[in-house]
């Protein structure tokens, strides 16, 4: 496993939005949600049209995301492209908007 030196950027964050921040603004749909563990940005996964979690990383350089919805508890470092062990799992802030 690749060693990740970005663990110090992991914080206890409050999700800023209930769903993907950009998708909610643009009225887009998403597949899964990813949470930035540095600032609490909620973005959509790479299977979604917007890929806003990846876009957030490119925009801000915040390296670590959590599998937020479904709440899977894993962490991912964009820089090292490796799974990382998160110290804890972020609880949902409220009901996630669904498009079903
Ligand atoms: Zn890393
Ligand atoms: Zn999105
Ligand atoms: Zn962030």
């Amino acid at each position: 496993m690749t060693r990740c030196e970005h663990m110090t950027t992991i914080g206890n964050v409050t999700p800023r939005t209930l769903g993907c921040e950009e998708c909610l603004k643009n009225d887009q749909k998403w597949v899964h949600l990813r949470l930035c563990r540095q600032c609490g940005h909620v973005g959509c996964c790479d299977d979604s049209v917007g890929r806003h979690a990846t876009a957030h990383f490119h925009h801000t350089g915040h390296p670590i995301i959590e599998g937020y919805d479904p709440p899977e508890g894993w962490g991912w470092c964009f820089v090292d492209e490796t799974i990382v062990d998160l110290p804890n799992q972020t609880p949902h802030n409220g009901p996630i908007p669904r498009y079903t």
Side-chain angles (χ1 to χ4, degrees):
M1 188 191 260
T2 314
R3 192 149 161 266
C4 172
E5 294 179 350
H6 306 94
M7 302 294 281
T8 52
T9 66
I10 299 174
N12 290 316
V13 295
T14 303
R16 300 202 305 220
T17 48
L18 293 177
C20 172
E21 192 168 324
E22 285 80 12
C23 283
L24 287 173
K25 274 184 210 150
N26 302 333
D27 204 21
Q28 276 179 301
K29 296 175 185 180
W30 61 79
V31 181
H32 300 302
L33 295 175
R34 308 292 182 235
L35 173 71
C36 174
R37 284 299 299 257
Q38 192 166 339
C39 73
H41 172 268
V42 179
C44 52
C45 70
D46 283 352
D47 292 328
S48 309
V49 177
R51 300 186 172 186
H52 290 121
T54 300
H56 177 73
F57 161 66
H58 287 303
H59 189 65
T60 62
H62 297 166
I64 310 249
I65 51 164
E66 174 180 335
Y68 183 58
D69 187 62
E72 292 163 331
W74 49 260
W76 175 261
C77 177
F78 278 116
V79 177
D80 297 304
E81 299 186 322
T82 189
I83 299 274
V84 294
D85 281 327
L86 296 174
N88 51 27
Q89 198 171 338
T90 309
H92 282 175
N93 218 6
I96 308 281
R98 301 277 181 193
Y99 297 104
T100 49

